[in-house]
Amino acid sequence: MDAVQQQLQSLTWSDAAYLAPEWILVAFTIVLVVLDLFLPRRSLIGWLTLGGLALSLGFAVWRLTDLIDKAQSTDANGQAISHVIRLMGDSYRIDVFSSLLKILFLVATMLIVLMSLGTISRADISDKGEFYYLLMPAVVGAMIMASSGDMITLYIGLELLSITTYVLVGIRKQSLKSAEAAFKYVVTGGISSALILFGMSYLYGITGATNLGAIAQGIQQHAAEYPALLYVSLFFLLAGLGIKIAAAPFHYWAPDVYQGAPTPVTAFLAVVSKGAAFAVIFRIVYNVAFFASSPDKPIADDVFLALLVMAAAAMLVGSTMALRQYNVKRLFALSGVANAGYLLVPVGLSLKGMHASNFGEFLFYLAAYLLMTIGILAVFSVISKSVGHEEIGGFAGLYYRAPWTAVAVIIFVLSLAGLPVTGGFFGKLFILLGAAQSKLYWIIAVMVVSSVISYYFYFGLIRQMFMRATIDTEVRVPVTTGIVIWLCAGATFALGIVPGPVLDFVNDHFSIVSDLFVRLQ
């Protein structure tokens, strides 16, 4: 407790300025809660939420550019100046790793809010204001998870994200499916939190520290003494975080929760919640598991192997289970399971074979996954509203009813399937090349097989659009939702045309040693 108080006391006003993106969202949340009581039009809350997210994004981008400028400068002795900002005893870190992820989280949430402005009505959600301003503390939780260098701050961010998304999943108060989804999500989320806390308690017991840098130092000293406890700790952490990212065999909650939640909330769970959990996996694996080895106990190798096995299971289970799905949300929940497997591969590759572009490959595919998932769910939100159901048959004859929307769907489907010329293709290609560089050919084979299996259900959407009888219902695309669809489609296509600059930017400015490893001062 004294250590926590010491960390909080070390936060000065100048340090607090570094947290501008988080403070802005907190302030907007408080203001919007009050305004929601008086504003006659609840849609104004949505636009104000969008404004708060945009302001926070501006500060996050400015902070990233400042970090990059610092990384390129030197002190009076010609030594490179550290560009990592360490707050509260290094329990909160502002670096390239966290800044890039925060930008992705904020962009994704802005697209989700913009999509919902055109598709969410009072019939769907009785309190639209509550829906909008709850998204901001959820994003703050994700941002805290990305910046955490300490298990305490990490868990605070995790619970802030979890509790707000519990409410968002069950926000359709008149829907039995929404209530059921919220109940299942609360139960599985509680189990996940318990597993994570259990694993953390063993790490604390072994090292007597909560800071990830201190834990890494303690593990290097005591790995040979407590190998069994380290195995228990790390595998409980992987199980708890496996639930959060919906990776097999911890994915069974996802189809029911995605189906019961409002479509914008489904998009948020699929992208932001998943991305935040991956940020934690990166931090823990490269600060704790990376050093958890002794001469006779290759714990680190076993953890990285477990990550790759989980990735393979997620890819195969997600792809095969999606083959029999006719509900679009359940289909994309299982597609998300498979994509969680793809995203796990760069983490599990470690630094084998001098392969050090793990984060660049992960971030590129996460960006592509963000665009294609939000884009296809934006299209689905319009179609489901038009036809009155959520089955895949709602896409029947879409090319004849809304040809341009169908073109956007083709771009998203090609990207999800990993075909040229899209962001999804190069995202998978970069991960495959990284695995080949590490000489892990078996995971390459699993990725290829999973991708081939996925062609069946992804191209089922195209088959519906072109080869099924046209439904006699008009598809009206609201302006805001149309903007989201075409922003996502254009960016997905752009990533497929010029992928190099994005990957090069990340690899040039990100450093595993300075950005990911938490080192004691």
Side-chain angles (χ1 to χ4, degrees), residues 130-131 133-142 145 154-171 181-183 185-190 192-193 244 265 268-269 273:
E130 186 179 81
F131 165 76
Y133 59 66
L134 277 175
L135 284 171
M136 286 192 287
V139 181
V140 172
M145 291 168 70
L154 188 156
Y155 191 74
I156 290 170
L158 175 68
E159 286 305 297
L160 179 58
L161 174 62
S162 298
I163 291 169
T164 47
T165 49
Y166 296 156
V167 179
L168 287 168
V169 168
I171 202 166
F183 176 77
Y185 194 39
V186 168
V187 172
T188 55
S192 171
S193 297
K244 293 295 182 184
V265 178
F268 188 88
L269 294 176
S273 292

Side-chain angles (χ1 to χ4, degrees), residues 111-172:
L111 291 171
I112 290 166
V113 170
L114 195 60
M115 171 181 77
S116 65
L117 286 170
T119 56
I120 292 293
S121 63
R122 186 172 289 274
D124 299 316
I125 297 175
S126 58
D127 194 340
K128 292 172 63 178
E130 186 179 81
F131 165 76
Y132 288 118
Y133 59 66
L134 277 175
L135 284 171
M136 286 192 287
V139 181
V140 172
M143 294 165 75
I144 292 173
M145 291 168 70
S147 282
S148 292
D150 189 282
M151 292 193 297
I152 295 173
T153 52
L154 188 156
Y155 191 74
I156 290 170
L158 175 68
E159 286 305 297
L160 179 58
L161 174 62
S162 298
I163 291 169
T164 47
T165 49
Y166 296 156
V167 179
L168 287 168
V169 168
I171 202 166
R172 293 193 296 185

Side-chain angles (χ1 to χ4, degrees), residues 14-33:
S14 60
D15 290 339
Y18 292 120
L19 302 176
E22 290 88 340
W23 291 133
I24 288 168
L25 295 182
V26 172
F28 264 81
T29 302
I30 296 170
V31 171
L32 292 182
V33 169

